[in-house]
Every structure is written in C-alpha cells, then in structure tokens.
Amino acid sequence: MMWTDIVFERLKANCLEMVCHVPDSVLAPLITRAEADPFFTVIPLTREEEGVGVLTGAYMGGRLGCLMMQVSGLGNSVNGLASLAIPYQIPFLMLISQRGELGEFNAAQIAMGRAARPLLDALDIQHFTLRRVDEVATLTDGAIKTAYTARRPVALFLSTEMVGWKKEG
Amino acid sequence: MGNEGQEIKGTGFINRMGATRYLVSRAPQALIVAGPGNAKFDLAGAGDRPQHFYIWNSLGLAPSVGLGLALAQPKQQVIVLDGDGGTLMNPGALVTIARLAPFNLLHIVWDNGEYQLTGGQPTATATVTDLAAMGRGAGLQHVAAVTTMTEFEVGLETWLTEPGPWLAVVRIDKSPAPARPPKDPVWIKLRFMETVNK
C-alpha cells in the first residue's frame, strides 16, 4: 500500500470526518480521495488559519477532523493555534507536507521548513514525522490518539524521505 | 450600502447592545459564536447563557468557528456575531462560507467603522470598503445591509427563517460595551458543548 492509502484508511478508522485543506501537491491524492468519499466533509480554505476555526466549531459540534497543509500553512496558522486551539483545548490532527529539508530546490521554503518544529515546540504542540511507509499506520493512529488525550492539536509531518521531492533544479 | 465619507458618530445608527438583546429574544435556541472585541461583550451584556461561545482572542476566526459548527450541527441555527475589524482580518471566511453554503448560518457583522477596543482607529469601512459588496463578491447569495433598528428587526425575521447562509452587515453607533463574559476558555467551551450536543 502507498502511504496515501494508509493515511486515508486511518483517517476513516479514527472518524476524522472534516478535512480542511489548502491544496498541496503531495497531499493532492488524499484530498481527491476524500472528496470522492461521502464519509468526509471536505472544506477548501483560503488560508490555513481558517481551518483552526472550522475544526474548533466542528469539534464543539461533535465532529472530528484534520487540517492538511504545506508547512508554510503552519506559519499562517500560528495565532489561531495559540489563541484558540490551545487555550480552549481543541484536539485535531495537522497533516503537514514538509518543505525546506531533504532535496529542496526553493530557497523561499527553507526558513519556514526549518522553523516548523521549534515553533511547535514553543507552543507545546507535539509533532511526529512520517519517514517510512511501514510506520505510517502506527504513527497516524498514535498521533490522533494523543491529540484527543491531550486535548490539543498534534502535527504529523510528511518527510521528503518518504514522499519524495520536486525534481526541479 | 454606500459608506463613503459618512459621519456616523452620534447619528441614528443601530445600537449594538439593543440589537443583540433583540436578536437573543428572537432566537433563544440559536447557538451564538461571538468574536473578540465588543461583539462578545454585548452578547454577555444581553445575559450570559450556555448557548454562547465567546472568542477571547483570534481576531477573524469567529465566522470560521461558526462555519464548522453549522456544518457539524445542520439541525441547529448558528449565529456569528463579529465586527468590521474581524471581518477585514479574515475576509477569506466569506469565501469559504460561500463555497460550503451551510443554510443554517447567520453571520452578523456589527460595522462601526472603527477598532473600538483599541481607541477608535478607523477601519477601511469608515471610508472606502463595503463589506456587503465583499460578501456578494465572495459568492454569498443572501446578503443584507441595514442601518436602522426597524430594518434590523424586519430583516432578522427573514434571516432566521429563509435558508442561508446569510450575511447581514449592520451599521451601528459607537456606544461602548461595558459587560464582560466568563473568562475561562475551557469552561466556556465545555458549557457550550453540553448545550450543543444535548
């Protein structure tokens, strides 16, 4: 199975029905599959921070979800995480496509990519990184479980070691 | 609604506290999400209730929270109370609401043309920007703009009964909002969730 098949299956198994996203080429196959499956409510955002609000409202209404985005979107979401999700104790999964690390061609992706984990550490938001396909199911299930136990968002990074990088030079 | 160069201080615009009280009396069962600033203060002033979710910071996210709630709870009326500053912080919320189009969402924007809580610095709606036009441009099909209490009262009957999502831009005066809601975010949330999922 591809990593996308496993994540898709784990999102369903854990009842993460609300899929908020700003498109990303790595996440695109997952988003397309979710759109085709009536189990999911797919919410395309204009900016990732909106997703923190939408998932807060959905959680209070009894529905769970995840926020899919490129790592730049984490930068766009910081105040929403710090002022809403953390103080009000709102759990959800952030599935983050990593840029700025192994194989990056775009200089403008480096700083945000490198800042992502220290930033999450500063907010005390736990994060895990998917590096091998055989770990995807365990880490996805575990991250979701921890989010609901901690009543906080948890981040799951998709590393370029696992998903590859753009071939641009 | 043309806002260009309008002098709104001391004129006959709607009073936010009065309009909030009227709204609560007309929609006692509705779930109300109030954005940071005076929208949440006047909602508390109308009488604190479990049906209120007060956002203490996160300028711009009130309509996004309302959207998630409306999608999760399609059988309940969801009302968002926000200001012009919050709307201008996150105009993308208008776009996302238009795209998802939950029929049970009423988004009210109290527009006083200023950042009232920080000293009355003018927002763009005081001069050049028309939030109702922005809503229509975002793709919202049901947009209203009102400037008198009578228009608000008549409009509200439509906004609460005809399928939305509705965006209502309400021109208000500059009265202060002295009341304060509860301050513990977790307590606000748990009390609200108990009501939502009853």
Side-chain angles (χ1 to χ4, degrees), chain B residues 75-98:
Chain B
K75 290 182 179 164
Q76 302 204 57
Q77 171 79 59
V78 176
I79 300 174
V80 172
L81 303 178
D82 205 4
D84 44 329
T87 311
L88 293 166
M89 174 70 82
N90 181 22
L94 302 174
V95 175
T96 306
I97 291 169

Side-chain angles (χ1 to χ4, degrees), chain A residues 18-31:
Chain A
M18 313 291 278
V19 173
C20 292
H21 73 90
V22 171
D24 169 79
S25 55
V26 169
L27 292 162
L30 257 183
I31 295 165

Side-chain angles (χ1 to χ4, degrees), chain B residues 22 26 151-162 166:
Chain B
Y22 184 78
R26 294 302 300 160
E151 287 175 345
F152 179 80
E153 290 175 6
V154 171
L156 189 63
E157 300 310 312
T158 305
W159 312 333
L160 289 173
T161 50
E162 290 186 18
W166 279 96

Side-chain angles (χ1 to χ4, degrees), chain A residues 18 21 41-47 49-63 77 79-91 151, chain B residues 33 53-59 61 64-74 90-97 99-100 184-186 188-189 192-193 196-197:
Chain A
M18 313 291 278
H21 73 90
T41 302
V42 179
I43 300 148
L45 311 164
T46 64
R47 182 180 159 91
E49 190 180 26
E50 276 187 80
V52 177
V54 171
L55 291 171
T56 297
Y59 172 73
M60 294 193 298
R63 292 181 74 184
S77 304
N79 190 55
L81 293 169
S83 67
L84 189 65
I86 291 174
Y88 289 86
Q89 297 186 356
I90 307 296
R151 300 196 186 283
Chain B
V33 175
F53 183 68
Y54 307 102
I55 298 178
W56 269 99
N57 194 341
S58 321
L59 190 64
L61 289 187
S64 304
V65 172
L67 170 62
L69 185 62
L71 292 171
Q73 289 286 330
N90 181 22
L94 302 174
V95 175
T96 306
I97 291 169
R99 260 179 126 171
L100 274 293
D184 181 340
V186 175
I188 292 168
K189 177 197 73 170
F192 184 71
M193 286 177 72
V196 172
N197 298 294

Side-chain angles (χ1 to χ4, degrees), chain B residues 74-158:
Chain B
K75 290 182 179 164
Q76 302 204 57
Q77 171 79 59
V78 176
I79 300 174
V80 172
L81 303 178
D82 205 4
D84 44 329
T87 311
L88 293 166
M89 174 70 82
N90 181 22
L94 302 174
V95 175
T96 306
I97 291 169
R99 260 179 126 171
L100 274 293
F103 59 89
N104 55 332
L105 182 63
L106 165 58
H107 178 190
I108 291 179
V109 178
W110 307 124
D111 184 4
N112 57 9
E114 66 175 28
Y115 296 98
Q116 192 174 15
L117 215 53
T118 55
Q121 300 85 351
T123 67
T125 68
T127 47
V128 298
T129 300
D130 180 340
L131 294 175
M134 281 176 68
R136 284 189 288 269
L140 291 166
Q141 301 297 307
H142 310 283
V143 179
V146 298
T147 56
T148 68
M149 193 61 193
T150 305
E151 287 175 345
F152 179 80
E153 290 175 6
V154 171
L156 189 63
E157 300 310 312
T158 305

